[in-house]
Each structure stands twice: as structure tokens, then as C-alpha cells.
Amino acid sequence: MASSPGPCDLIGPHEISRIQRVETLSTYSFADGSAIGDGRIVPPGTEICVLIAVPQNPPNGVLLDVPIESKGPDNLHIFIKSDDVQLSFRPPRPIPDQLSLRKPFANNTSILYYAETTLYHDGAYQLFVDHEWSNWWWAKQWRDDFEQNVTRYPTGAKIPFPSREERVRQYHEPEYYDWVSVSQDDHHPPVIDVANGGDWEANRRRRVCDIDYEVDRGRWYSRSRFPGLIQEFDEWGYAYDGDTCQFDFFTDYDVMNCLAGLQIHAYGDSQLRRITKTITSGGHFCRNTSHECQRMDGAMRNLVFDNDGGLVKSLEEEKYKPFNNSEFTNLPTFGSDSRIHWAFLRDLVYDYRDWTRLFYDKEDHSTENALALDESPEPSIFSNHAFDPTQDIRLGAKARQSPSAPPADLVLLGFGSWDAAFATTFEELERVLPSFRDALLDAYPPSVPIVLRLLNGYCCRHKFDDFRRYTGTRIQHMNDLIREAFDVHGVWAADGRIIVVDPEVLTGRPDVVSDYPESEANHPRFSHVRTETQLLYNKICERDAQGKAVLRNWTWGT
């Protein structure tokens, strides 16, 4: 099921076939190929497999959206916790070879989804599953021109566009189902008990995660049991850290030393804007847990510096042009003469003039960098005029860095939230990604490191909303498309020029979802933005022999 054998691969085909025949949403846990039953205690370090069976019953035998290869028709959220440890996951994928992309699924046939993890710490673990979308409606590839009242089927045929009532019917109000109290005779797993044997935590803390360690190989640890963690605890008393190693923690002074004198080019949407505020403020931005900035922040107006090393002490929150400007603008110098040159990057598909003009000259055909945009209508997310590389970039045009900023020492890149919210089809994003990637890589020499932030998971779901198309599996698929376009495997692009920070598993904890008012922009809490920023620092910075934070000495490119 995975690229290398995992615990789900140990489950026999007869057991898989039996579970596929269940007629109600059911969950199962396995270790070493055997079901985990009541009274079974597993040792620390046990690899487990979770299977979720979801019966299929498309209304009138008709799918609501085009099936997506490698994804299933359902959007599920899965979560495992003990009293002291919480594990969040990406939306689980279906077991391969179950899906037919050419016809609706037969009624009362269950699709199996799977997730794998390792339980390192002792405790009684509970499994929670939330079935949020069904019948492919998580993809949300409906068209903006509702008057057509049709959607396309994989064979090319058209089917009636479903009414809002029908679309709502395929949405299941988020509710985490706790299967712990269900007896073993039912189709639900009991508590998973992990014995107290071996000091996994002491061994984990002896190792600092290296640059190749993937962000998703981590979990949330409680302050009550792990008070000595160096990572910041959030409002709920949890800190995120690696599974088998400890992420380094960089103070504001560490960051000042690491980024000293750097010219940083940042291209991003509001998610990267919030990270940039965290960097330039030394982590001080939006510390008030009840402030509106937790869910919707404006742009920074003023940075207020202290007199000790130029660190940002506080900042004022107000609408201000630099953080909303699609052209490059300079943020105030911070730290030891470090400067971020910022450009707001909206969606790639419809507002493409923003990013093309960042890498090419405007309609001045006297330069080799000129675009060919003067014949195109003005695009917007509401225009449905999607980017076409054959028309919207002149043949032979050469990309370049912004002439309004000094050459970059480091590039921060974070995009895709607008496309996840507004792009009509995945094909539109697939068409634009190669052109955007080529422009970025042509504009910067191989010696300049590029850090790519992928989309965070759907953190803020509380209600059905047709305007912004956020769903967990849709975001997962967007990240898959970005990884494919940039040829990313693990944390590195194949050419060694780009390293990835993937925050998808940081979001979706039930306690946060239930306590946190929804953000229509899918903004996580700032405590989790600070957590993600620390994971970014772990890719950019390291410590020298004296323990001082310095920029990593990488060999980039070929």
C-alpha cells in the first residue's frame, strides 16, 4: 500500500475481503497482521494499521464529481490520542485496486481506507474518525457558471448539476466518532493499550532531527507528562515534536544570527504572510489568544524595535499595502541587517498576471523578458479566464528576479491556498504549475536555496460552504500536484534546489476544531504558526560547534 511494506501490508486478503462486505461505517485496528482485541497489550514501538470501511451508495447511481485517481470518494479525518499524546493524520487514502474510475460504485460496497503509524509511548490510545464528505463531492470541481447546470462525467457525458440540497446531503456535519466504548463484537476497535517498557522518550530527546527529517513524522505531546520539551506548548497544553528525534528550537536571537545580513525573497499568500510576521517579529506577533488576528489578520503596519540587537519587540496590526502588494516591496530590516522582500502571491490559475509580472517584464516587447499579456482579458478569480502558457507568456521570454530588490540569498515560497479555494478544476492547476516552476527556477541561480511551504490541512472546518472549496482531501490532492510538478520526493526536489516544509498534519486536532472559531481563509492559530515556523527554521538553520545558530552550509543545485 505504501512505497515500502508497512503494517497494513501484513493483513491477509481474506480479512480485507471480509471487511469490504460490511454495511455500516466501521473501523479496525491491526498489529502484526492481527486485529487488536480487548485485553491485548502491545509494546512501545508497535506499528499499527487502521482500516476504515465506508459503504458506497451514490444517489440514483450518479457520482457528484469526477473521480480522482489514487483518491477515494470519501473525505475522512482520522485521529488517535492517549491521555498524553495526540496523533493527527492526512486524510487516509483508499487501499489500491478498489476503485473504478469509469462507473459509479455498486450500492452497499465498502471502500477501505487505511492509515499507518507507530505507538512509541505507553498509554491507552483511542481512535476517532470523522466522515465529512462522500460521493466525490470533496473534489468540488463544479463550475462557476451555474446556468450551464451540468457537470462532466469521466466518459465525457454530462449529468445534471446537483442542487445545493443534494450537495449538502453529501456533507456530514463534522463529528468525531469515539469507538472506544464499543464492544469487540461490533466492527469497531477497542482501546489500544501500549505497555510501559523501554525509555523511548529519553532516547528520542538525545537526537536532534536532521534536515532530511519529514515534518509529518511527529506528534503532539502534553505539557503534563512532557514538561521538559523545548518546543512551545499551545493553548491546549500540547507541543509538536518528532517521533524519533527532537526538533531544535531557535530563539529570536538564534534567528537573528542565522539570517544575519540575508536578502530574502518571499512569495506567498496569507499563510506565508503569517509566517513572515512571525519571523520578523521574533515570534511576538499575535500572542493574544483572544484577538481577531488568530483567525483573520490584516497586514503589518509598523515594527517596533528594541535597543538590543535590533530585535522586533512588537508590531501594530493594521491594513497596510506592503503585505497586500503583488509587486515586490521591502519590509523593514530586522535582526542583524536582514531584510525580507515580499510579494503577495494569489492564485496561479486566474490571477496569473500577479506572478507572471514578478518574473517577467510587463508589455515592453523591447526586452527579452517581455510578456505577451496585452491581448488577454484582465483575469480574476471570478473571470474563469484560466492561465494558458501558450498565450500568456511570450515564446522565448526569460524569467528574472525582481529588479526592485537586491539579488536573493534565500527564497521562501508558499502558495496554493487561493487555488484550493477557487480553482474550478485540478487540470487548471496542473496546466499552470510547470510554467510557474520554470519561471522560478530560471529566475534564481542554483546556488540560491528555495524553501517551499505546501498547503496546511483543513484546520478550520465548522460548516458547509460552497464559496471556498476547502476540504481535507482536496488540499491533499493540491499538495500531491505541487510535489509532482516540482519533482519532490520526501523533503527534497530531485535537483536539490528546493526543500519542502509540509504542514498538512499539523492541523485538524478535535480539541482545536471544537474550540476554535472557523476561519474562512483556513488560517491556523498563531501558536501553530509559530510551531510551523520552528520547523521552517530547522530546515534553514543549524548550530556550529559553539552552539551558535548559523545558516546551513548546503550545496544546492547541480
Side-chain angles (χ1 to χ4, degrees), residues 154-166:
T155 59
K158 294 182 178 181
I159 60 175
F161 191 87
S163 66
R164 177 174 173 82
E165 290 73 21
E166 183 56 58

Side-chain angles (χ1 to χ4, degrees), residues 31 54 128 156 224 302 324 345 374 389 398 489 498 546:
V54 184
F128 301 82
S224 58
N302 292 316
N324 292 325
L345 193 62
D374 47 344
K398 296 181 180 180
H489 304 275
I498 298 176
Q546 289 72 43

